[in-house]
Each structure stands twice: as structure tokens, then as C-alpha cells.
């Protein structure tokens, strides 16, 4: 059974930083695409970024230069380092996994496994 568990969400002021973690179990962590999504109240879930089996990382344009995705295969853990946070970064952040090494276009419908989410709130 695949389980994803996010942690690290918090309330911070604009310009601050947070590091989210996603602990995975029940998957061959190093062989699949892992991703971060977020959802603000009243908005659709959107892809933040993803990392595939070869370690290639893609980011949404709105986070480039501010967020960094990494993975520790030995710990089966995915990370999202978020710097220079803005109020518009507020939302629930989700970890997701695909049954493939390929990340595609970072569409939520293509990811079969999801965590419960961790809340990030950025105040101005």
C-alpha cells in the first residue's frame, strides 16, 4: 500500500522560507516520478514541480528560482525547499507519485497517489 505523508507546513511572513518533506512507503521510491502540487482556497490544484527517476527536475514558472525540489532515495523522502515566499504561495501543499518514472506535464490527473497535504500560510 502506497503511503505519502507530508510535513513542514507552517505560517510565515512574506520573504520567509519553509522546507516541506514527504515520506513515502509502499513504492519503489527511486524509480518513479514524485511531485509537489498546491491548492489555494477556491482554486484548482496546480503543479509546483517534479523529479523523475533520472533526477531531472521540472518546475512551474511561478516558482522558478525560489523553490527547490530534491529527493533522498535512502530515506524515501521528497523535499521542497521554499524561499522568498509570497502571500500568493499560500495553500495546501501535496506530495504525489506516479506509477512511472516519467513526470509528463505535471497534470494532477496523471498522479495516482497523494498525501493528505500540509498547510502553508504566507502573510504580508
Amino acid at each position: 500500500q502506497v503511503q505519502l505523508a507530508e510535513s513542514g507546513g507552517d505560517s510565515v511572513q512574506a520573504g520567509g522560507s519553509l522546507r516541506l518533506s514527504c515520506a513515502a512507503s509502499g513504492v519503489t521510491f527511486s524509480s518513479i516520478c514524485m511531485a509537489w502540487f498546491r491548492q489555494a482556497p477556491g482554486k484548482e490544484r496546480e503543479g509546483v514541480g517534479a523529479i523523475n527517476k533520472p533526477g531531472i527536475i521540472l518546475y512551474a514558472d511561478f516558482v522558478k528560482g525560489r523553490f527547490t525540489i530534491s529527493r533522498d532515495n535512502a530515506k524515501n523522502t521528497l523535499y521542497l525547499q521554499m524561499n522568498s515566499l509570497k502571500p500568493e504561495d499560500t495553500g495546501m501543499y501535496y506530495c504525489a507519485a506516479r506509477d512511472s518514472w516519467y513526470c509528463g506535464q505535471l497534470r494532477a490527473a496523471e498522479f495516482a497517489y497523494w498525501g493528505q497535504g500540509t498547510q502553508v500560510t504566507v502573510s504580508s
Side-chain angles (χ1 to χ4, degrees):
Q1 182 179 0
V2 178
Q3 291 187 323
L4 303 175
E6 304 93 336
S7 62
D10 205 345
S11 296
V12 297
Q13 290 194 328
S17 297
L18 283 174
R19 188 193 196 202
L20 306 184
S21 299
C22 171
S25 61
V27 293
T28 307
F29 183 80
S30 61
S31 299
I32 60 174
C33 172
M34 297 289 298
W36 287 100
F37 287 79
R38 71 184 187 185
Q39 188 166 19
K43 295 188 176 181
E44 291 189 357
R45 193 169 296 189
E46 60 181 357
V48 174
I51 181 169
N52 66 12
K53 176 183 177 180
I56 297 172
I57 303 173
L58 63 93
Y59 295 100
D61 288 342
F62 56 80
V63 301
K64 284 182 179 177
R66 300 189 299 125
F67 292 8
T68 302
I69 290 173
S70 61
R71 66 197 297 172
D72 185 331
N73 291 334
K75 295 182 178 180
N76 277 13
T77 302
L78 179 73
Y79 301 100
L80 179 65
Q81 177 67 44
M82 303 187 293
N83 299 327
S84 302
L85 282 162
K86 305 175 182 179
E88 51 263 44
D89 293 320
T90 294
M92 188 71 76
Y93 282 69
Y94 298 91
C95 173
R98 287 189 65 163
D99 283 324
S100 170
W101 67 269
Y102 178 64
C103 292
Q105 298 301 309
L106 206 58
R107 296 189 184 98
E110 296 174 346
F111 286 78
Y113 309 107
W114 294 84
Q116 295 294 321
T118 186
Q119 178 67 37
V120 172
T121 303
V122 185
S123 58
S124 57

